[in-house]
C-alpha cells in the first residue's frame, strides 16, 4: 500500500465515494456515524491495486486466498447493528480479512480486537491498519472459533464476518452482559444475518436478512 494515494482520484475520488454513501442511505442505512466513517475510510487501499477502481461499488471483491472483502452495505448494516443499545467500549471481530471492517470499527469504538486464521491476510491487515494509524486495534493470528485467546475479559460487541453452522460456545462465553453479537448463520440451506443480545433473561436471537458469506473454518492456515 505504501505510496498509494489515500485521497483517491478518478474511480477512487471523494465524489465516487460519496455516491456509494448516498446509495447506502437509500438502501436503509440511517446511522450518520456509520455513513460518515465509511465516507472517510479509503476502501480502495484494502484491495489489490488492480481492483481499486471498483472499491466504491456496492459489491464484495476478492482479496486472495479464496476470501472476499465484504460488500459495503453489509459492513454498514453490521456496524449499525453493533451501535444499537447504547455505549460499547470493546469489539471483537472474527475474520479480519483485509481489515476494512476492522478500520471502520476502529473509528467508532474505543477498543477493537480482530482475529484471522490465514497468516498472509493477518500480516497484510496489520501493515495497512498501522499505515492508517489506527492504534486502538489489536490483531491476532488465531482460530476465532476459540474467541480471543486466553482471556477472561468479555467484549461488549462481537462481529463474525464468516458464516458458521454452529455458534461457537467460546464466543458466547466472551460476550458481556448487555452485549450484542452479529453473525451470518448457515442452517445448511441458506445464511441469515443474526443478532444475538445477552439480556437480563439470557440470550435473545433475532433473524434478519438473507446473506452470502465465506464459511467460518477451523484451524490455522
Ligand atoms: N471483514 C473482512 C471479511 C473477510 S472474509 C473483510 O471485509 O475483509 C472472512 C474472513 O474470515 C476471511 O479472511 C477468513 O479467512 C476468516 N475466517 C474464517 N474462519 C475463521 C476462523 N475460524 N478464525 C478467524 N478467521 C476466520
Amino acid at each position: 500500500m505504501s505510496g498509494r494515494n489515500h485521497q483517491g482520484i478518478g474511480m477512487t475520488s471523494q465524489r465516487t465515494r460519496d455516491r456509494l454513501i448516498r446509495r447506502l442511505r437509500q438502501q436503509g442505512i440511517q446511522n450518520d456515524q456509520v455513513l460518515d466513517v465509511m465516507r472517510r475510510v479509503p476502501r480502495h487501499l484494502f484491495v489489490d491495486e488492480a481492483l481499486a477502481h471498483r472499491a466504491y461499488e456496492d459489491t464484495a471483491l476478492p482479496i486472495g486466498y479464496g476470501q472476499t472483502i465484504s460488500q459495503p452495505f453489509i459492513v454498514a448494516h453490521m456496524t449499525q447493528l453493533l451501535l444499537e443499545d447504547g455505549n460499547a467500549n470493546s469489539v471483537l471481530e472474527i475474520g479480519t480479512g483485509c481489515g476494512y471492517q476492522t478500520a471502520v470499527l476502529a473509528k467508532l469504538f474505543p477498543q477493537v480486537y480482530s482475529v484471522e486464521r490465514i497468516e498472509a491476510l493477518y500480516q497484510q491487515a496489520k501493515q495497512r491498519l498501522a499505515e492508517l494509524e489506527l492504534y486502538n486495534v489489536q490483531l491476532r493470528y488465531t482460530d476465532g472459533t476459540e474467541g480471543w485467546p486466553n482471556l477472561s475479559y468479555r467484549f461488549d460487541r462481537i462481529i463474525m464476518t464468516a458464516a458458521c453452522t454452529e455458534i461457537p460456545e467460546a464466543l458466547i462465553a466472551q460476550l458481556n452482559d448487555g452485549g450484542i453479537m452479529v453473525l451470518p448463520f448457515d442452517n445448511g440451506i441458506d445464511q441469515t444475518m443474526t443478532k444475538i443480545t445477552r439480556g437480563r433473561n439470557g440470550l435473545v436471537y433475532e433473524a434478519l436478512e438473507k446473506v452470502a458469506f465465506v464459511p467460518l473454518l477451523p484451524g490455522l492456515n
Side-chain angles (χ1 to χ4, degrees):
M1 180 171 87
S2 302
R4 284 177 68 185
N5 194 323
H6 282 229
Q7 200 71 47
I9 48 164
M11 290 311 282
T12 62
S13 69
Q14 195 58 53
R15 231 168 48 145
T16 312
R17 296 189 206 186
D18 288 347
R19 201 180 304 140
L20 170 64
I21 300 308
R22 278 199 300 279
R23 190 189 153 114
L24 294 177
R25 197 188 286 281
Q26 280 160 9
Q27 289 181 326
I29 303 301
Q30 290 151 349
N31 189 307
D32 288 326
Q33 268 185 297
V34 174
L35 292 168
D36 186 52
V37 164
M38 289 185 65
R39 180 179 287 119
R40 288 187 286 127
V41 176
R43 190 169 184 259
H44 65 282
L45 299 182
F46 289 85
V47 295
D48 195 84
E49 242 178 310
L51 285 172
H53 68 289
R54 300 193 56 197
Y56 299 98
E57 292 176 17
D58 190 20
T59 178
L61 294 168
I63 55 172
Y65 313 93
Q67 307 304 319
T68 53
I69 177 173
S70 301
Q71 182 192 345
F73 176 78
I74 294 292
V75 172
H77 188 214
M78 290 180 100
T79 308
Q80 183 167 278
L81 290 168
L82 294 179
L83 287 168
E84 287 174 3
D85 303 344
N87 277 350
N89 190 43
S90 58
V91 187
L92 170 64
E93 177 187 37
I94 310 301
T96 315
C98 68
Y100 174 71
Q101 170 82 69
T102 323
V104 169
L105 293 171
K107 300 264 188 204
L108 291 164
F109 294 92
Q111 291 174 41
V112 178
Y113 302 78
S114 183
V115 301
E116 172 56 54
R117 67 176 286 279
I118 298 177
E119 189 172 14
L121 290 176
Y122 156 77
Q123 295 289 0
Q124 279 174 22
K126 198 164 141 169
Q127 196 190 334
R128 279 192 187 111
L129 295 168
E131 282 174 11
L132 292 174
E133 300 179 349
L134 298 171
Y135 300 124
N136 58 332
V137 177
Q138 284 192 56
L139 301 182
R140 289 286 283 268
Y141 165 53
T142 186
D143 176 0
T145 53
E146 305 295 330
W148 190 264
N150 317 321
L151 193 74
S152 51
Y153 179 81
R154 296 197 294 171
F155 298 93
D156 299 324
R157 300 290 184 263
I158 299 180
I159 172 173
M160 205 159 86
T161 66
C164 62
T165 51
E166 272 173 72
I167 299 170
E169 276 301 317
L171 293 183
I172 295 286
Q174 288 189 351
L175 184 64
N176 212 348
D177 296 334
I180 299 174
M181 171 154 134
V182 290
L183 58 107
F185 182 75
D186 187 337
N187 65 3
I189 300 166
D190 53 22
Q191 298 179 7
T192 307
M193 184 65 76
T194 305
K195 179 183 174 192
I196 305 174
T197 309
R198 188 193 281 284
R200 258 185 225 132
N201 303 315
L203 301 171
V204 179
Y205 294 79
E206 271 173 81
L208 305 167
E209 78 271 23
K210 296 287 175 225
V211 286
F213 278 79
V214 295
L216 186 79
L217 298 172
L220 295 179
N221 200 314

